Each structure stands twice: as structure tokens, then as C-alpha cells.
Amino acid sequence: MEKKRLGVLVSGRGSNLQALIDASKKDDYPAKVVVVISNKKEAYAIERAKKENIPVYVVKREDYRSKREYEEKIREILLEYKVDLVVLAGYMKIIGKTLLEAFPWRIINIHPSLLPSFPGLEAQKKAWEYGVKISGCTVHFVDEGIDSGPIIGQRAVLVYDDDTPETLAERILQEEHKLIVESVKKILTEEYEIIGRRVVFKKKGDENI
Ligand code: GRF
């Protein structure tokens, strides 16, 4: 099986990147990380990529005059590595028109809440403060909004009375690692349609969808 090619955009720790790298080592996993791009030179994700001999680029917004030029550089790298799917794994910038148009419905993001609840920063803390009893994580297609695109998959995590924002975030993170791996696999191996906001997976033998 020829593995599909993932380009992963990061800004920090890179544990979701690591989950994808680990999954890709299995022969039957349909994808491999071929390039990592970070907008922060101090991101620990860079070390993870280097350790695996995955090409890694630092592309910083402040080095470019406009968002368009910044994203053109990222686009150039992603095209050079012929990526089939772009994964935002803790990438802390909003994706603009340049990348959205270059990879239509080919950019996905992982977010640490059950969207549409708690989009944006510090989602786990916001969920904890709100007092929800169930939180979780979401993988979704990226559109022009913030954490707003069609949902590919979600995993639920119970909130315990003695949780802190940190313990909750840690349990959500464990589920994120599973969800990102299973979502990438689904997108790359199953047939689906995006109908309005709904990502509808076509079941085998179901000709009506
Ligand atoms: C994760 O919680 C992810 O959902 C959010 O940013 C965090 C990144 O963590 N978008 P890591 O860099 O993958 O460890």
C-alpha cells in the first residue's frame, strides 16, 4: 500500500504530531508525515520531527510582509512535498484564503472540546469553568472561521468533580491522540460527502448516500 502524504503544521509541544508519527510506523496505517512546518522556532514538535528524520521548516509570520506571502511560503513547501492532507496539530494561527484555496477540504484541525462548544483558545479551561459534565475533542475540516468547519469525528471525556483544568486537559489529550489518528485514516480511506455542515461517510453497499 502506497501511504498518503501528510503535511503537519505545528506551533508547540507536538504530541498529536507524535501520535501520527507513531501510527504511521504500522504497515497498515494509510498515511505518513512527510513534512512538518512550525511557525515557532522553539516548538518542541521540531525536535520530534528531527528525531524521526522528517523534514521540518520554521516559517514565521513576522518574516513576511503579509499573511498572503506567509501562506504562499507554506503552500510552496506543502506542494513541494506533494502532501495529500494538511493536519493542523496545535497550530496557533488562523488559516487564510491562500492555503484554503490551495487545499480545498484537505486541511483538518484538532480541537480540545466538543465543538461547537468552546472554540478558540484554552478550550479545556473554558469547559471546566463552565461546569460541563462531558467534554472531549473534535477533528474538523478547516474553513475560514475559528474551529468552525464540518466535523469529521469527536471523542467524549467525562469531567470529574475533582478535576482541575490541567487534569481534564490531560485526559482530553489522550483522546485527541486516538481521534487524530482515526480521523486521518477515515478521511484517507473512506468515501464521504460534505453536505452542508455534515460530513457523511458512505457505508459500503449503501448506494443512496
Ligand atoms: C491540543 O490540545 C490541540 O487540540 C490544540 O492544541 C494542542 C496541541 O497539543 N489545537 P500538541 O502540540 O499536539 O501536543
Side-chain angles (χ1 to χ4, degrees), residues 130-143:
Y130 197 92
V132 297
K133 300 297 185 196
I134 301 174
S135 191
C137 48
T138 304
V139 170
H140 63 91
F141 285 110
V142 172
D143 64 8

Side-chain angles (χ1 to χ4, degrees), residues 48-59:
R48 297 185 192 264
K50 283 186 179 160
K51 203 166 153 234
E52 305 286 338
N53 294 316
I54 296 168
V56 49
Y57 294 80
V58 176
V59 183

Side-chain angles (χ1 to χ4, degrees), residues 84-167:
D84 296 298
L85 187 67
V86 181
V87 182
L88 310 184
Y91 177 66
M92 302 300 279
K93 287 230 165 284
I94 296 164
I95 296 289
K97 223 170 149 224
T98 307
L99 285 173
L100 286 173
E101 285 176 2
F103 300 95
W105 301 126
R106 290 271 112 188
I107 307 176
I108 68 173
N109 179 47
I110 177 129
H111 181 75
S113 76
L114 290 178
L115 291 170
S117 292
F118 314 114
L121 296 175
E122 299 201 316
Q124 308 96 321
K125 185 159 174 262
K126 285 186 211 153
W128 179 84
E129 281 171 352
Y130 197 92
V132 297
K133 300 297 185 196
I134 301 174
S135 191
C137 48
T138 304
V139 170
H140 63 91
F141 285 110
V142 172
D143 64 8
E144 59 291 334
I146 297 175
D147 302 320
S148 57
I151 291 171
I152 298 162
Q154 296 187 300
R155 274 178 171 256
V157 172
L158 293 177
V159 183
Y160 302 139
D161 289 344
D162 61 355
D163 263 330
T164 62
E166 292 73 29
T167 59

Side-chain angles (χ1 to χ4, degrees), residues 12-16 89-90 110-112 124 173 176:
R13 178 179 56 185
S15 68
N16 281 288
I110 177 129
H111 181 75
Q124 308 96 321
L173 190 64
E176 289 186 43

